[in-house]
Amino acid sequence: MTPSFSLHIPDADLEPEPLDPAQIVAGAPEVSGKVVWESPDGRQVRGIWQITPGVVTDTEADELFVVISGSATVEVEGGATLRVGPGDMAVLRAGDRTTWTVHETLRKAYAISL
């Protein structure tokens, strides 16, 4: 069992994460992240994720996230357009097809259910 902990998100060290070139629509965005907790069955994941400016597509899992820094516009196919920045919380549903337009390097804390 993982003990309770705290983490200062703005300056947490992140590791580069591969981004499928097929997801890149514009620019040269780079992704990094860190999983800080995962349930024993792997179905619940908590972490930090960051992306530099550009435009990418994705198919989402059930996710709640809070933006720590930066800004983006997240277009949900057939749904809402979310404009997110520091302090904003957003919820994405499993299967949402999204287009992320990242205006300023965005760092978020997330909770994903698989």
Side-chain angles (χ1 to χ4, degrees):
M1 186 159 135
T2 303
S4 298
F5 66 93
S6 68
L7 178 65
H8 190 67
I9 297 168
D11 55 24
D13 289 330
L14 306 180
E15 297 292 325
E17 294 183 358
L19 183 60
D20 181 348
Q23 290 180 266
I24 300 172
V25 176
E30 296 180 4
V31 172
S32 56
K34 178 177 187 162
V35 171
V36 298
W37 180 86
E38 186 173 339
S39 64
D41 65 3
R43 295 181 53 83
Q44 303 290 319
V45 181
R46 311 293 185 254
I48 303 166
W49 186 81
Q50 181 170 288
I51 185 168
T52 61
V55 181
V56 298
T57 60
D58 200 8
T59 301
E60 305 296 337
D62 279 324
E63 178 180 1
L64 176 143
F65 69 86
V66 176
V67 176
I68 305 305
S69 59
S71 65
T73 302
V74 184
E75 296 174 61
V76 179
E77 187 177 288
T81 297
L82 314 174
R83 291 172 180 81
V84 296
D88 290 334
M89 180 181 81
V91 175
L92 299 171
R93 296 173 300 154
D96 278 349
R97 296 176 55 86
T98 56
T99 300
W100 291 69
T101 301
V102 180
H103 310 293
E104 299 173 73
T105 296
L106 182 127
R107 183 175 282 217
K108 66 179 183 176
Y110 66 84
I112 292 176
S113 298
L114 302 171

